[in-house]
């Protein structure tokens, strides 16, 4: 035992030789992990590497096959999340665990409801106050009485974080807390994390956005294929080595941009009004990638949903290839050649009970049907092709998507829309939760689509990504289109100015 | 990275996958050992005949439950379609004319009822439970109103052939049941519509955004359930040789039990038609076996309840 000799800082948490086997998948094989008080320890790895599984083992949400967990050097055994909560462990799960029918405050204080004195009655006033306090820490103005199901993904993510920080915890594990957030919310989240650090809380931070690691992380641990690969101080690493540890090989560049030739107009929007959307005018061309930026709630997803027929427009015109269209349902839009990869894969994308194959072919069964019947061998080959192309990590195409890791689920929805062969494809946060290696491949795929003459709109909260892949970037603020920047003129600052309703001339003139 | 599963897990998976089939085999073995008559060709055919009516309705119910819905109106529809069909047969028409007419009218009523259910569920967004509960009392009441509470009989004898006749020694209801299951299996497993049924039941909004016409899918499943109930109504009337306003009482319970025992989730999106068939047979064989052993009907009810509970428990192991 040489542990004692080199121990300079005591470990708050130690996980040793953790093993977890799922049918057909060894999710964790003898993984080691340790966490000190007051540090941010980043957990990194490709999609399906086992990060979420390790966190679920820690919280007691799933049972490990073997291994030990020590807190303050003492062995503990958690049989349920309630056990780990009692031990001071807070958890933000990758797929949220909020109750959609309850209000924001009820969710934040679920299980910890304040009562009126000693009576069994819930003190709703106090409850809303406490909830508001934790939301204010995150700089958010989500009404505490709003029903969770009516919130956007980003808002739900924030409620989930507020819930976790409303309790006194010693260890806080965050599984991709930033996936749905934009810069502003992220800044608030980091401020909160820094405060927790000062209170000696140990934080486990999972994210696929590597720049976040360098901004907030103290140490890091990398997993690959369920195996422990490497641990070190963040300061001793760089982006390149991170990628190498995660992917197992070098990646020359992050955003493969190819020279595209803009074709004729494919989509024209004139004076479009719908919900919060006010008077939108916009053109999209074949063979270009149009990025869409804006803060959460700016109306980017609403815009996409109207074009896709998921929501109705109130006034204005939509022209596809010069012809006016008025899609009244997603089916009509798909038949017209429009596809939309929705944000929030779990709620609006996947059919969890269906397997990978069925989810991929769902929007375009037409292409695998022969007469009345689905041609299974054709469907299989389509599913096989996309599973290979996108490197979807699954034991087989017959695996229910519920059993896939977050990023691999995202790839399945992506495959579905690639298979629809649309003329106009709208991607709403296509790379949320996807690892660097696969991101690269997705950018290549998007490039290829544009090259083949498809009009591509990419909505993303990841600014470096938008700047890296777009030919033009449209920016929205509070339902209005505040500007469209060409690739050469777009910068992070200009986009932020437009996104917050500022004026470009004013800041630069 | 496919690895050997631990032995205990393997056994668990097998029990989960084939749980209902194993239960069925155990049941057959038990009754065969207790009653010499049980495992004879004649009795087996008898069981399929007795179970056919519940099984046919259960096929339709599977579609509905797969979409996370429920159809409580099936038993009442059996009665209403039965009394209407028999009253048409009583018209002063040649049987060759009145029979097809009776069938067409009865099936139309099934389509009508299913459409109403589908309409309220989709357009007005009312929960299927309430919609079909209302339809249940409406059709039951209508059956009593129409017949004044008395059975309808005195129509041509030829009609009884449908429920009691045999072709190549096989009861006609059994043949119809097999046909219904082959078609239902093919639809659910091999057609776009079948896929849509699962998708809508799994996640309605995601299905809509994937381009599925959710309302049309829902409407269709209620119509399927209505039509299959009407077919069962005609078969039952023929077997009883009369149109009874209280026919099919509480059938919805047996039918739902068959579907759920067969492994279909009441939350939608999960289940198979083969499972439903086995579920219906499990219940049918239980009834038949207990009858052969002269077990009283009160005890039968208790046993049936216990068996349903355990069958569902067995199925639950698959989810674990
Ligand atoms: N319930 C389950 N049944 C079967 N396999 C599972 C189950 N949950 C996870 N897995 C598998 O275990 C592996 C690890 O999954 P995990 O969710 O931990 O990955 P992750 O590192 O969090 O990935 P991501 O970055 O995509 O979220 C994956 O291959 C996944 O398919
Ligand atoms: Mg994960």
């Amino acid at each position: 035992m040489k542990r004692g000799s080199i121990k300079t800082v005591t470990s708050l948490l130690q996980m040793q030789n953790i093993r977890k086997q799922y049918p057909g998948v060894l999710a964790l094989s003898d993984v080691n992990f340790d966490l000190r008080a007051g540090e941010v320890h980043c957990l990194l790895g490709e999609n399906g590497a086992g990060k979420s599984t390790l966190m679920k083992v820690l919280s007691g949400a799933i049972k490990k096959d073997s291994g030990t967990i020590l807190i303050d050097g003492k062995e503990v055994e958690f049989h349920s999340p309630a056990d780990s909560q009692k031990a001071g462990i807070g958890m933000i799960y990758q797929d949220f665990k909020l109750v959609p029918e309850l209000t924001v405050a009820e969710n934040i204080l679920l299980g910890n409801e304040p009562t009126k004195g000693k009576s069994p009655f819930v003190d709703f006033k106090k409850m809303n106050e406490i909830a508001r306090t934790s939301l204010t820490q995150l700089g958010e103005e989500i009404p505490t009485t709003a029903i969770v199901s009516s919130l956007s993904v980003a808002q739900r993510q924030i409620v989930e974080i507020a819930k976790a920080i409303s309790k006194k915890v010693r260890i806080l594990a965050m599984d991709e807390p930033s996936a749905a957030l934009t810069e502003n919310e992220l800044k608030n989240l980091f401020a909160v994390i820094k405060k927790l650090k000062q209170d000696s809380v140990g934080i486990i931070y999972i994210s696929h956005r590597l720049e976040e690691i360098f901004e907030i992380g103290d140490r890091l641990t990398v997993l690959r294929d369920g195996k422990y690969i490497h641990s070190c101080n963040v300061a001793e690493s760089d982006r390149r080595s991170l990628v190498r540890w995660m992917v197992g090989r070098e990646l020359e560049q992050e955003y493969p941009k190819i020279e595209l030739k803009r074709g004729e107009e494919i989509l024209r929007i004139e004076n479009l009004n719908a919900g919060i959307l006010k008077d939108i005018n916009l053109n999209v061309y074949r063979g270009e990638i149009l990025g869409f930026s804006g803060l959460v709630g700016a109306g980017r997803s609403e815009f996409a949903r109207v074009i896709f027929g998921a929501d109705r427009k109130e006034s204005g015109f939509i022209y596809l290839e010069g012809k006016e269209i008025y899609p009244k349902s997603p089916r009509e839009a798909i038949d017209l050649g429009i596809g939309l990869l929705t944000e929030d894969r779990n709620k609006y994308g996947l059919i969890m009970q269906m397997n990978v194959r069925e989810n991929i072919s769902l929007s375009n069964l037409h292409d695998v049907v022969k007469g009345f019947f689905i041609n299974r061998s054709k469907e299989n080959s389509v599913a096989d092709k996309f599973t290979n192309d996108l490197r979807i990590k699954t034991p087989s195409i017959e695996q229910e998507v519920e059993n896939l890791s977050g990023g691999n689920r995202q790839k399945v929805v992506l495959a579905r829309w690639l298979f629809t062969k649309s003329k106009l494809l709208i991607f709403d946060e296509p790379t949320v939760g996807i690892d660097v290696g696969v991101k690269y491949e997705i950018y290549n795929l998007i490039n290829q689509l544009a090259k083949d003459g498809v009009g591509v709109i990419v909505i993303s909260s990841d600014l470096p990504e938008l700047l890296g892949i777009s030919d033009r970037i449209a920016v929205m603020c509070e339902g209005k289109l505040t500007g469209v920047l060409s690739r050469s003129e777009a910068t992070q600052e200009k986009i932020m100015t437009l996104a917050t309703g500022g004026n470009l001339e004013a800041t630069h003139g | 990275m496919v690895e050997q599963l631990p032995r205990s897990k393997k056994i668990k998976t097998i029990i989960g996958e084939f749980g209902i089939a194993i239960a069925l085999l155990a049941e057959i073995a038990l009754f065969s050992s207790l009653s010499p008559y049980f495992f004879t060709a004649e009795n087996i055919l008898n069981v399929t005949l007795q179970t056919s009516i519940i099984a046919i309705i259960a096929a339709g119910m599977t579609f509905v439950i797969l979409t996370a819905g429920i159809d409580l109106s099936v038993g009442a529809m059996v009665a209403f379609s039965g009394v209407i069909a028999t009253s048409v047969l009583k018209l002063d028409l040649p049987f060759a004319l009145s029979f097809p007419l009776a069938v067409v009218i009865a099936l139309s009523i099934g389509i009508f009822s299913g459409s109403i259910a589908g309409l309220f569920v989709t357009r007005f967004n009312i929960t299927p439970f309430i919609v079909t509960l209302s339809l249940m009392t409406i059709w039951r009441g209508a059956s009593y109103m129409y017949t004044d509470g008395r059975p309808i009989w005195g129509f041509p004898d030829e009609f009884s052939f449908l429920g009691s006749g045999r072709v190549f020694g096989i009861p006609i209801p059994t043949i119809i049941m097999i046909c219904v299951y082959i078609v239902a299996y093919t639809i659910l497993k091999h057609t776009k519509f079948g896929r849509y049924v699962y998708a809508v039941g799994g996640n309605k909004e995601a299905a809509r955004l994937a381009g599925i016409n959710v309302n049309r899918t829902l409407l269709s499943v209620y119509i399927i359930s209505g039509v299959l109930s009407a077919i069962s109504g005609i078969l039952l009337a023929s077997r009883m040789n009369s149109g009874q306003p209280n026919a099919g009482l509480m059938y919805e319970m047996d039918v739902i039990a068959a579907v759920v025992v067969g492994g279909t989730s009441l939350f939608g999106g999960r289940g198979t038609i083969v499972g439903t068939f086995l579920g219906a047979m499990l219940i049918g064989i239980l009834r038949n076996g207990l009858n052969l052993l002269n077990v009283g009907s009160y005890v039968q009810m208790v046993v049936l309840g216990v068996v349903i509970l355990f069958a569902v428990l067995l199925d639950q192991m698959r989810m674990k």
Side-chain angles (χ1 to χ4, degrees), chain A residues 366-387:
Chain A
H366 189 74
D367 268 14
V368 292
V369 160
K370 216 176 182 179
F372 269 125
F373 304 115
I374 294 169
N375 181 340
R376 262 302 279 284
S377 61
K378 205 162 167 191
E379 195 186 21
N380 283 343
S381 66
V382 167
D384 279 331
K385 178 181 172 303
F386 282 108
T387 310

Side-chain angles (χ1 to χ4, degrees), chain A residues 21 24 308 310 330-331 334 346-348 350-351 353-354 357 361 363 365 369 373-374 379 400 402 416-417, chain B residues 1-3 5 9 186 190-192 195-196 198-199 202-203 205-212 268-270:
Chain A
Q21 167 91 58
F308 188 58
R331 181 73 258 163
I334 292 169
N346 295 332
K347 194 166 163 207
Y348 298 127
L350 295 163
I351 313 287
Q353 299 92 331
M354 286 185 149
R357 164 177 57 83
S361 63
S363 290
L365 280 175
V369 160
F373 304 115
I374 294 169
E379 195 186 21
E400 285 181 12
E402 192 159 29
R416 178 193 297 165
W417 290 108
Chain B
M1 224 207 286
V2 182
E3 301 214 352
L5 293 181
K9 272 223 184 92
T186 312
H190 295 296
T191 68
K192 280 208 276 189
R195 203 54 77 69
Y196 293 169
Y198 282 97
N203 184 340
E205 186 57 15
R208 188 176 82 95
L209 291 169
I212 293 170
R270 246 189 253 275

Side-chain angles (χ1 to χ4, degrees), chain A residues 295-327:
Chain A
L295 301 180
V296 168
R300 297 171 300 166
S301 298
E302 285 78 357
F303 172 78
R305 289 174 61 93
V306 170
I307 312 277
F308 188 58
D311 290 334
R312 299 293 177 87
K313 67 176 188 196
E314 279 146 27
S315 65
F317 305 93
I318 305 171
Y319 299 91
L320 187 74
E321 297 178 312
K323 275 201 296 288
E324 195 191 341
I325 57 163
Y326 186 6

